[in-house]
Amino acid sequence: MFMLKLRLFPRFLIMLLLITVIPVALVGKIVVGINSESLQFEVQRYHMKLAQSMAERFDERLSTIVSQMGIALDAIKNPAASWEDRQKLLSALIDSSSHFGIISAVANNGSEVIKAYNPLLAPEVDKNPALISHAHLPLFQKFKATGDQTRKVTRENNFTMAELYLPFDSPIGKNALYIKMSINDLCEMIGQENIGRTGFATYVGPEGTLLSPSKFIGSSDKSLDESMVKNALSGNLGAREFVDLNGIAWVGASAPISQLGGVIFTQQMRKEAYQASAKGQRQAAIFIVITILFAIIAAILLTRSLVNPLLKISEFAKSVDLGSGRFPDPVVIKSGDEIEELAQTFNEMMVKLKGYAELQVEKLIIEQKKTEAIIFSIKDGIIMTDYQGKIQLISRMAKQILGIAEEEPVLGYPLWKYLPSPELKTACMDLLTNPKSKSAVEVKLTQNENEKFYALSAEEVRTPGKEELLGLVTVIHDITLEKEIDSMKEEFLHSITHDLRNPLTAIRGFIRLFQSGQTGPMNEMQIKMLETMDKASLRLTNMVNDILDLARLESNRLTLHIEPSSLELIAGRVIELFMPQAKGSRIKLTMDIPKYIPETPLDPNLIERVFVNLVGNATKFTPDQGSITLRVKEEADHLRCSVEDTGEGIPKDYLEKVFDKFKQVEGHFKGGAGLGLTICKRIVEAHMGKIWVESEVGKGAAFIFTLPKNLSDRQEQKAA
């Protein structure tokens, strides 16, 4: 399809280039690919064997330490030994090894029974050598839950420490031997490994933490490949190429540590590893470029000799003007081939087309009169303008709406000259500058002391078939009756809603009276029924309040109390409000607000309500283990606020509709009247900001709104 849209010269040129270049490019690619794949396989196999060898050395040296753990465990379990003998044996084991920091026996309830320690590796115990309880420690809680050996490796004060709980049985139940030991020498052994000029090895603990920084990457883990680490942590070998967070390409491999857990990770810069392959690729690229240049020159020369006569015919065809009846002189081409025959056929066609055009003039005049009759009989006002705003056609109804005399000539004059109000001028300008927008613009006009409402919509006018742009048609539709009916509906709804508030207040008061027990004792079923009634009445009260608040916003009766406010404090209160609910649903609720965000003039209570409504909606539609982030970012003249979740997402058809009153996404009803987002929109617009939503189904949603930094100045300008 792309080739068919091109002109003859580039199309023919591209075909010649494809015929000559593709075979050479394919051969070069195959040769380079074979070399690259072979080298890639060998480099990755080398790294995988190296990582496996280092993991085996790590496990071998660790076996000596593990055998000493067995001595400690046997000493604790020996029923014939006294506690004093056990203490001496543990102390001797601590003194004889540079690895052990703490060895203690822990009862089933978490209390230490006996303990020995090395002050150098466990300075915190040296300050307080008393027996402690492990019940609150996460690692012990994991051990107690599983009943199996548990372990953790961390880096503390330039020491890499491993903590283990080894289970053993005793007459008083299932106990644990707690061991905290240093594996610093093993990690240093890994970190000192060099692979070429840029390669190195690291040890990553069972939790995915970098524990043996190399001299190349220091203490940063940005050069590690997360997927390879996860694969090795699950017990698998692996090797692959990857790009780290700094944008550097690497070749690496990983191997698991069997006894202590964790991963040995080796990596080398891809540029160094594939240096030989890169040289071959450069040579092949030079050969291909030379071939392409030669093919381009040959194709251009051949194409010009064939296409120039056709271009001459094309230029003659462009000079045809059916509107004025002007036709070019016959084309003269003497090439003695099919192109000359084409020129003769073209000349014959011009003669026939000229006769046909003369016959069609009268038919066009008749059709034009019919079209004008149809347009002038339509009850809506219709105006056609060109893209400079000059009137090309205007119906009788449009003249009446704009107050133009029937006999006044307006064709060819700018439309702005006849628009009676600035509001109408702004609406027409928006339609003219953005004709592809399908949304109608509502305007209000005062005619004979009566207010009239009109909906303006525009559509581009194109010629049939050719799709040539002729201008813009604006339709003015009278919607006064619809507006009056909507107003009656709103007044009725607000009246009914206001009358519901007092009965609801009385109902909730009586429910609270019953719940307080002042009317007498109640059984459990009655208490549950009252709780259900209280929740239902509270939900109904909130719906009534939302409707009344929306009525105040729509009628501009809501006064903004502007004062310099901190969005960080406002967001913090909202996070604190929803944190219990988020924890109950296991949802991660966070905020991302830089410290340098300045105080901004706004109504803090209303903006807090916006955040409450948005975060409340997010908690309804975010599943367990999901996340909600409240974010604020400073931009040129405004602050950009957003509430982002990992929930179900919103279908594309509803992205514009969710801010409408009583509108909810079909199949996603979670309670409420569907007014929360409408209230948010009114509050943000009252602050002269904008609000919208960005979402994809299954990928969560982000509700975003902006607040101007200079709200006070804008309000003064608006008032002026």
Side-chain angles (χ1 to χ4, degrees), residues 493-505 540-541 544:
L493 179 61
H494 296 158
S495 176
I496 293 298
T497 306
H498 191 275
D499 292 341
L500 284 174
R501 175 181 281 182
N502 291 336
L504 280 173
T505 304
L540 186 56
T541 300
V544 169

Side-chain angles (χ1 to χ4, degrees), residues 95-327:
D95 295 338
S96 64
S97 175
S98 62
H99 294 94
F100 294 115
I102 303 173
I103 302 178
S104 65
V106 182
N108 189 42
N109 62 359
S111 301
E112 287 184 338
V113 179
I114 186 173
K115 176 166 64 177
Y117 65 92
N118 184 341
L120 180 62
L121 298 178
E124 72 281 2
V125 180
D126 192 41
K127 295 178 182 179
N128 183 19
L131 299 179
I132 64 172
S133 173
H134 291 230
H136 65 285
L137 300 178
L139 191 61
F140 179 78
Q141 293 173 358
K142 180 179 178 182
F143 163 78
K144 194 169 181 181
T146 61
D148 297 326
Q149 174 182 331
T150 56
R151 59 199 175 190
K152 180 176 72 172
V153 185
T154 57
R155 190 164 180 83
E156 305 173 2
N157 300 323
N158 295 325
F159 285 96
T160 304
M161 306 296 293
E163 297 182 68
L164 303 93
Y165 284 96
L166 305 177
F168 70 91
D169 295 327
S170 71
I172 60 173
K174 194 166 207 175
N175 301 326
L177 180 67
Y178 171 69
I179 298 175
K180 184 175 183 180
M181 63 181 181
S182 169
I183 57 169
N184 211 51
D185 56 340
L186 302 182
C187 293
E188 290 178 354
M189 174 191 72
I190 300 300
Q192 293 173 357
E193 186 74 23
N194 293 334
I195 307 170
R197 299 190 309 274
T198 62
F200 57 90
T202 55
Y203 170 54
V204 179
E207 292 80 17
T209 306
L210 180 64
L211 298 173
S212 65
S214 75
K215 63 183 180 180
F216 292 95
I217 63 173
S219 60
S220 170
D221 58 357
K222 290 184 179 180
S223 296
L224 301 180
D225 183 51
E226 185 177 350
S227 63
M228 290 182 63
V229 173
K230 289 182 178 178
N231 182 57
L233 287 175
S234 63
N236 300 317
L237 291 170
R240 56 170 285 188
E241 299 178 13
F242 63 94
V243 178
D244 64 15
L245 298 179
N246 295 317
I248 301 175
W250 299 88
V251 178
S254 58
I257 301 296
S258 59
Q259 296 195 39
L260 190 59
V263 178
I264 298 298
F265 194 85
T266 65
Q267 60 190 90
Q268 184 181 15
M269 284 189 181
R270 187 182 185 281
K271 182 178 180 181
E272 180 188 12
Y274 300 147
Q275 196 168 19
S277 177
K279 182 178 179 181
Q281 289 178 350
R282 286 194 298 270
Q283 293 175 347
I286 293 173
F287 175 77
I288 292 172
V289 169
I290 293 174
T291 303
I292 291 174
L293 291 176
F294 177 78
I296 290 174
I297 294 172
I300 290 175
L301 295 176
L302 179 60
T303 303
R304 281 182 177 175
S305 65
L306 296 175
V307 175
N308 281 343
L310 298 178
L311 293 177
K312 185 177 181 181
I313 296 176
S314 176
E315 292 298 326
F316 274 87
K318 289 180 181 178
S319 63
V320 175
D321 188 354
L322 293 176
S324 62
R326 184 171 62 86
F327 291 87

Side-chain angles (χ1 to χ4, degrees), residues 245-424:
L245 298 179
N246 295 317
I248 301 175
W250 299 88
V251 178
S254 58
I257 301 296
S258 59
Q259 296 195 39
L260 190 59
V263 178
I264 298 298
F265 194 85
T266 65
Q267 60 190 90
Q268 184 181 15
M269 284 189 181
R270 187 182 185 281
K271 182 178 180 181
E272 180 188 12
Y274 300 147
Q275 196 168 19
S277 177
K279 182 178 179 181
Q281 289 178 350
R282 286 194 298 270
Q283 293 175 347
I286 293 173
F287 175 77
I288 292 172
V289 169
I290 293 174
T291 303
I292 291 174
L293 291 176
F294 177 78
I296 290 174
I297 294 172
I300 290 175
L301 295 176
L302 179 60
T303 303
R304 281 182 177 175
S305 65
L306 296 175
V307 175
N308 281 343
L310 298 178
L311 293 177
K312 185 177 181 181
I313 296 176
S314 176
E315 292 298 326
F316 274 87
K318 289 180 181 178
S319 63
V320 175
D321 188 354
L322 293 176
S324 62
R326 184 171 62 86
F327 291 87
D329 295 329
V331 180
V332 179
I333 296 177
K334 300 295 184 179
S335 60
D337 54 16
E338 290 84 352
I339 297 179
E340 182 177 348
E341 295 179 3
L342 176 63
Q344 294 174 357
T345 304
F346 175 77
N347 293 332
E348 294 173 0
M349 181 188 67
M350 288 294 103
V351 173
K352 293 180 180 180
L353 185 61
K354 184 176 181 180
Y356 177 77
E358 293 173 352
L359 293 175
Q360 294 300 314
V361 173
E362 185 176 352
K363 291 183 179 180
L364 291 174
I365 295 173
I366 295 173
E367 292 298 327
Q368 181 180 6
K369 291 182 178 180
K370 290 181 180 179
T371 303
E372 291 179 354
I374 293 172
I375 292 175
F376 279 87
S377 64
I378 296 175
K379 293 184 178 180
D380 291 334
I382 298 177
I383 305 173
M384 178 179 174
T385 60
D386 60 17
Y387 283 94
Q388 285 72 44
K390 295 181 180 180
I391 300 174
Q392 305 297 314
L393 177 69
I394 185 168
S395 68
R396 186 180 297 106
M397 182 57 69
K399 283 188 174 183
Q400 292 179 6
I401 295 173
L402 300 179
I404 303 173
E406 182 71 25
E407 65 281 358
E408 183 176 353
V410 296
L411 299 183
Y413 290 94
L415 176 61
W416 327 118
K417 178 180 177 182
Y418 304 100
L419 299 179
S421 69
E423 183 181 6
L424 188 59

Side-chain angles (χ1 to χ4, degrees), residues 546-562:
D546 283 345
I547 293 174
L548 294 177
D549 290 343
L550 182 59
R552 286 197 294 270
L553 287 167
E554 290 180 336
S555 61
N556 295 323
R557 287 182 291 150
L558 187 68
T559 303
L560 297 182
H561 299 285
I562 304 299

